[in-house]
Amino acid sequence: MKLEESKEKTKTVKENKEVCDMDGKKIVKLKKSLFISFLFIVFLFFKGYAQENKGGETKQPPPLTPEEMEIAKKIFFDRCAGCHGVTRRGATGPALLPENRTRLLGTEGLKVFITYGTPRGMPDWGRQGILSEKEIDILARFLQHEPPPPPELSLAEMKETWKVYVPPEKRPKEPQHKRNWQNFFGIVLRDVGKVAIVDGDTKELVNIVNTGFAVHILRASATGRYFYSIGRDGRVTLIDLWANPPDKVAEVKVCNDARSVDVSKYEGKGVNFKDKLSIVGCYWPPSFVILDGQTLEPLKIVSTSSYTYDTNEFLREARVASIVASHHDPLWVVNVKETGQIWLVDYSDIKNLKITMIEAERFLHDGGWDLSKRFFIVAANMRNKLAVVDTLTKKLVSLVEVGNKPHPGRGANIDHPKFGPIFCTGHLGDNTVQCIGTDPKKKPEYAWKVVVKVELPGEGGGNLFIKTHPNSPHLWVDRPLNPELSNKIFVLDKFKFEVKKEIEVPKEYAGARFVHLEYNKNGDEVWVSVWGRKDQPTAILVFDDKTLQLKHEIKGDWVITPTGHFNVYNTMKDIY
């Protein structure tokens, strides 16, 4: 078997790190425990591979019963498709096709990787207890078969799922409670298909709303009145925060797999689009869907299947990775992952839709606005770059090389005393936080260059989210995909970029991991999810941003697999 050599180069960090040379490539030496873990995984893989390939020939795919096939399809959709693609052609993760990978690895080899993960970010599904040994065995056999054709979805089929529980004309004209709804938090309870609404002032649970499976994100409407949730099953839920209690007023399924949703936010030049329209970005079918913002009625489907910007290769699975809404124009920024194109979609006339296609870099993932909200910055994480688009001139400004697999989430904006406005990202593949200058007028010498590069404690990356607030002196960083450090968050001085504190998951939640960081409206508290197993209630921890001490635990039997949590005001105003 010929193993593919990695094409990505690990960047050197501190000069006093021990660095060795291997085949002309510089690699940072892993700390002993992580390195031993990786060698153990490799040993198990080769042991399994040798057992299955004694004759030197690649075997035919192992048998699967119809029942096992359905089980495997569901597991793959829930856990694997996001990184490896619905058709298994790869994106953030490698392609998992029988002819060039999975049959070579064999059942035992695949089981090793599914069970233990990898130091570069693949979750250890078995070791975490998320997948059982039986499920891992079924999935490993499934991956050696040709990918089954995924289903399509028409506008008529979407409308069959469309439900309006409370029509707009019957909704209240003002809040029906006295709570500070702009400081509500929407908390994703990932594996139970629910969103909890929690009062950010009192820390009380206000309501639990049934939503789509594995909600990926929540977005607040332009007015803040509504939360839009998008599940990985493509179901959109509209939650009215003025109702008492807040609850869903409409829902619809517009994709079979999805990650992104946003709303129309523009008001000006005699028009007001606030809360009028919504948009969903689909992984499958590859497309975006425009909806009525008040009722979620599907209005228009636009396919994103297209040609890659560099090789002009046609890709059916060109997925929408993320979407943001402009504050300057009636414009959505749609990031098409596999083709490396950033689409600027003018929603002022959806019957005569105008789309500006900007060639950027592959494979686009997530990103956010700079401080001025003029420049959009998105990670092309498999090419180790940040792509910068000027949404006023509608052109690509720069491609900035950063670390290994940048993953900014929405990113973190800081008005730095020396560099001016900067945008920061963490990384899946290394332990650095890197920031680029974003003010080409007042600070042109720093614009679109890496001006800060700080190394976090410990080896490896695993970062998913990084967050700050204009009222805070701190920068908070998680590392939930690092097998050694998933139980820690790191708090940095956001001007000196020195680590001020490492915070560990409390002992009562041993085995769980920290994920996602969000400030309250005032910017003086940071909320962090303790992400555990489906059978293990955990908590949302609230930290005082000044003292960095734990001030409140939000817990209860309902706190099951909490992941993302979104403050209404910060999400509405794009504060991060």
Side-chain angles (χ1 to χ4, degrees), residues 401-449:
E401 187 162 353
V402 286
N404 191 339
K405 294 186 181 179
H407 194 285
R410 304 302 292 274
N413 284 302
I414 299 169
D415 193 1
H416 194 273
K418 177 180 178 180
F419 304 120
I422 59 177
F423 177 94
C424 302
T425 182
H427 296 82
L428 288 167
D430 68 39
N431 64 349
T432 65
V433 170
Q434 300 191 33
C435 309
I436 66 172
T438 63
D439 190 347
K441 286 190 176 181
K442 296 182 180 179
K443 297 285 186 177
E445 67 272 31
Y446 301 123
W448 321 133
K449 298 174 184 176

Side-chain angles (χ1 to χ4, degrees), residues 270-281:
V271 295
N272 183 2
F273 285 102
K274 286 187 174 181
D275 299 3
K276 301 296 185 186
L277 298 169
S278 179
I279 181 173
V280 174

